[in-house]
Amino acid sequence: RGSSKKHTCQVLVVRHSGCVGKVSIAWKTEALTAVADVDYAEASGVLNFEEGESEKLIAITTLEKGANRVAREFLVILEALEDDVNEYQPQFNSFDDGGDDSAIMAVKIGERNIGHKSFGKMFDKWFNTNHLLLGLEEWKDGFASALLCNGSWEDQKEASISDWIFHFVSLPW
């Protein structure tokens, strides 16, 4: 769905208040105005801080857009592991985004030629065209599965005569 030109965004996670003991933190990306797998590659993982380690990098792939696209944002969310067996549990700053339970950072991607005004850029700002294209693609898939016997090309090959009869009888509804 997204562009074939990919870039890697590095997010630095810093462990404050000392680096005693092992700590594990789960992380994930979440869409905000950006669309997963169109503007960036959806990802998740676990950061394992060893004794004495205070910094880790998260690599996130962003997908290149045209020259006059408006900026889009997605979130990187850090959370404590539910079944963490480490002696130390992560503590998040209650005054930052995410509160006591997590840390949330917004990543902004895609804006170039900031002073350039074009109809395409203004339209993209008012209507998130990535969401429109994604919706159109899902509609097209749904429409095709309604027309195909048993819902897909693969299942259609295995359809019996009775499947075809019921398909054509029920198609107008």
Side-chain angles (χ1 to χ4, degrees), residues 134-146:
L134 190 60
L136 180 61
E137 186 175 310
E138 289 173 358
W139 176 84
K140 181 182 76 174
D141 291 343
F143 188 74
S145 69

Side-chain angles (χ1 to χ4, degrees), residues 20-119:
V20 176
K22 295 180 180 182
V23 174
S24 296
I25 299 172
W27 67 272
K28 65 181 178 180
T29 58
E30 191 172 289
L32 198 56
T33 56
V35 177
D37 299 327
V38 174
D39 295 313
Y40 69 98
E42 190 171 33
S44 63
V46 175
L47 297 176
N48 293 307
F49 287 91
E50 297 295 326
E51 176 84 28
E53 210 171 15
S54 62
E55 295 181 351
K56 288 280 188 181
L57 285 174
I58 298 173
I60 300 170
T61 302
T62 60
L63 307 173
E64 188 172 302
K65 297 290 161 200
N68 294 316
R69 299 302 297 253
V70 297
R72 299 282 183 234
E73 293 181 316
F74 65 92
L75 301 175
V76 176
I77 302 171
L78 305 175
E79 299 173 312
L81 289 174
E82 290 181 17
D83 56 349
D84 193 5
V85 295
N86 291 326
E87 181 180 346
Y88 296 95
Q89 297 297 313
Q91 295 178 345
F92 299 101
N93 186 342
S94 61
F95 298 107
D96 285 342
D97 289 342
D100 291 327
D101 300 327
S102 63
I104 301 173
M105 181 182 91
V107 178
K108 188 175 190 177
I109 55 172
E111 186 165 44
R112 290 190 273 161
N113 294 342
I114 296 169
H116 182 72
K117 299 285 185 199
S118 70
F119 176 74

